[in-house]
């Protein structure tokens, strides 16, 4: 007894292109799902310690889920590294997301708070006096 043989299906022929109907104009290109950079290809100058603060309390209705989560987190200033860790996104993706949000003026970028390189003399004298009293 021989096993049944499967018949191969030939690929279906492609339908001919439809002519453009009146009022339709030219054929449209498919919409891109996400734009990596703006029209000029520039990105914001961000590093891991740049502080990000939301400008609005609530995200706009047109915001993506990542943007809405970022806006909720940024009620208080957070660094790009912290945001990247909380949202489980790599720094490169955060850079793209933050650039888009900065151009839309949804968030504000601030320079990190830099501590003085030298300690305050009065603080050092107070510590020294306290140690001498011991």
């Amino acid at each position: 007894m021989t096993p049944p043989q499967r018949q191969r299906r030939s690929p279906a022929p492609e339908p001919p292109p439809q002519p453009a109907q009146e009022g339709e104009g030219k054929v449209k290109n498919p919409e891109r799902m996400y734009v990596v950079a703006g029209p000029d290809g520039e990105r914001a100058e961000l590093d891991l310690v740049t502080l990000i603060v939301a400008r609005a309390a609530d995200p706009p209705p047109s915001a993506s889920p990542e943007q809405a989560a970022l806006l909720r987190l940024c009620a208080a200033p957070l660094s790009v590294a912290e945001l990247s860790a909380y949202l489980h996104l790599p720094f490169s993706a955060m850079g793209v997301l933050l650039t888009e949000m900065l151009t839309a003026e949804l968030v504000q970028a601030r320079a990190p708070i830099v501590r003085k390189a030298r300690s305050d003399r009065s603080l050092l004298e107070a510590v020294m006096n306290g140690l001498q009293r011991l």
Side-chain angles (χ1 to χ4, degrees), residues 1-123:
M1 181 174 187
T2 59
Q5 299 291 321
R6 293 186 183 180
Q7 294 180 351
R8 291 188 176 251
R9 296 184 196 176
S10 59
E14 292 184 20
Q18 298 285 332
Q21 296 178 0
E22 290 181 27
E24 230 180 80
K26 57 184 174 180
V27 178
K28 295 180 180 178
N29 288 333
E31 186 176 334
R32 291 185 288 176
M33 295 300 287
Y34 198 81
V35 178
V36 174
D40 51 0
E42 292 183 20
R43 286 194 183 177
E45 294 292 326
L46 299 170
D47 56 357
L48 291 173
V49 294
T50 303
L51 297 176
I52 305 296
V53 183
R55 288 185 176 232
D58 295 326
S62 63
S64 68
E66 292 85 6
Q67 290 176 341
L70 195 139
L71 287 172
R72 278 188 238 107
L73 283 172
C74 290
L78 286 176
S79 70
V80 176
E82 290 172 313
L83 292 171
S84 179
Y86 289 143
L87 296 176
H88 304 289
L89 291 173
F91 176 70
S92 57
M94 284 301 299
V96 172
L97 183 63
L98 287 172
T99 299
E100 183 177 304
M101 293 179 75
L102 284 166
T103 56
E105 296 183 355
L106 296 174
V107 295
Q108 179 181 10
R110 295 182 182 171
I113 300 170
V114 179
R115 301 282 181 208
K116 292 182 180 179
R118 300 178 69 185
S119 300
D120 187 23
R121 184 176 175 98
S122 61
L123 175 65

